[in-house]
Amino acid sequence: MYEAFIKEWLLSNQSRVYSVIVETYHQKLKDLKPTLFRKWLAVEIGVPEEKINLSSLNSAMLRQRKKEAKGKSKGKNNSSAIQAADN
């Protein structure tokens, strides 16, 4: 769906493009890991592999993991507070 936009953003070095890539292709990235994913994405959207910065991809993936972990811990804290209130 976002292939054309992602391609354009990568080629113009747009900010946040790696965050969008991680959100859009989350499962594929999880399955292939960054190095193979980079090769797959280059073919998928038709850009040279060198245009996809592996370091930026790893950083965006790390930010996503932290965001998910924060969301999970927030959910646990909320359920703990609700249980305490019920008791």
Side-chain angles (χ1 to χ4, degrees):
M1 182 172 149
Y2 291 117
E3 291 92 4
F5 291 115
I6 289 172
K7 179 179 180 177
E8 180 183 326
W9 294 338
L10 273 172
L11 295 175
S12 66
N13 295 320
Q14 182 72 35
S15 63
R16 273 196 35 83
V17 67
Y18 292 97
S19 295
V20 172
I21 290 170
V22 170
E23 289 174 18
T24 304
Y25 297 105
H26 180 72
Q27 189 58 49
K28 191 63 109 173
L29 182 55
K30 195 174 180 181
D31 293 343
L32 295 175
K33 306 297 184 228
T35 306
L36 286 176
F37 174 78
R38 177 184 178 199
K39 292 175 187 291
W40 175 84
L41 184 63
V43 172
E44 180 73 12
I45 63 175
V47 298
E49 192 176 325
E50 304 79 43
K51 286 290 189 179
I52 303 170
N53 186 319
L54 193 55
S55 178
S56 296
L57 190 58
N58 281 321
S59 295
M61 198 170 161
L62 182 61
R63 285 193 304 272
Q64 181 70 20
R65 283 187 194 142
K66 285 182 179 179
K67 185 178 172 183
E68 288 172 0
K70 187 177 179 182
K72 286 180 183 177
S73 68
K74 242 185 185 180
K76 288 179 184 175
N77 290 341
N78 287 343
S79 64
S80 300
I82 291 169
Q83 287 175 350
D86 288 344
N87 292 337

